[in-house]
Amino acid sequence: MFDVMDLYQQMINDHGKNPRNFGRLADADHEAEGYNPLCGDKLHVYLKTSDEGLIEDVSFEGEGCRISMASASLMTEALKGKPLADFKPLFDAFQHMVTSDISESPDEGRLGKLAVLAGVREFPSRIKCAILCWHTLKSAVKGGDDVAKTE
Ligand code: ZN
């Protein structure tokens, strides 16, 4: 039988090992640090917005577990080229997905490929790994020097 969880696992492995949009963005207009002390994941997120309010480019660098890298890779892919105004609703949808009951199907219409991370719900310690990049980008958008933390 076709197992969708296997496919999800393959995508997480692929993005975790070969993260997309990995590296420093020289002309970023927003950036922030994020740290997940529970696992040791560290991220630096870069964001470049246009005058029209579009996310022209978004990238990250850092070190962490496969889930944290895959999540950041998928997040940057999902947001590149989108209006900055889309960030907050997508953040909320992602946060809802990873904290909702396992019986609830992820909203694939809204989350797209990000739905592959729905499986972290079964492993509470991994939820922080998956959501670190979102908190980090949120603090980049907001500005300021605070390090985004999952704790
Ligand atoms: Zn982690």
Side-chain angles (χ1 to χ4, degrees):
M1 204 184 104
F2 175 72
D3 188 347
V4 71
M5 290 317 282
D6 280 353
L7 185 72
Y8 282 8
Q9 205 57 49
Q10 276 176 29
M11 273 185 70
I12 293 170
N13 281 332
D14 175 36
H15 279 264
K17 273 191 239 156
N18 307 297
R20 320 299 195 266
N21 305 306
F22 190 86
R24 192 186 155 80
L25 205 62
D27 54 352
D29 50 21
H30 294 75
E31 56 184 279
E33 294 274 343
Y35 179 46
N36 171 18
L38 208 67
C39 178
D41 308 316
K42 275 186 191 157
L43 290 179
H44 196 114
V45 168
Y46 302 91
L47 175 67
K48 181 177 178 354
T49 53
S50 72
D51 294 341
E52 295 78 36
L54 286 178
I55 298 174
E56 254 179 39
D57 211 348
V58 53
S59 76
F60 73 103
E61 57 185 7
E63 275 177 59
C65 67
R66 196 167 43 88
I67 298 284
S68 66
M69 291 294 120
S71 185
S73 173
L74 288 158
M75 178 188 77
T76 54
E77 263 198 353
L79 289 169
K80 212 170 186 174
K82 299 275 163 56
L84 187 56
D86 284 5
F87 171 67
K88 180 72 169 68
L90 203 56
F91 178 102
D92 291 341
F94 187 82
Q95 190 168 46
H96 178 79
M97 177 183 79
V98 296
T99 53
S100 61
D101 190 81
I102 196 79
S103 62
E104 198 180 314
S105 302
D107 183 355
E108 287 196 41
R110 165 164 254 179
L111 290 158
K113 274 205 258 175
L114 298 167
V116 304
L117 288 158
V120 300
R121 289 180 294 184
E122 288 181 77
F123 311 98
S125 63
R126 310 256 78 165
I127 294 171
K128 297 199 160 100
C129 303
I131 207 152
L132 175 65
C133 58
W134 290 89
H135 281 295
T136 311
L137 187 57
K138 192 178 171 186
S139 87
V141 170
K142 210 171 64 174
D145 297 326
D146 291 353
V147 175
K149 279 200 184 135
T150 52
E151 295 297 305

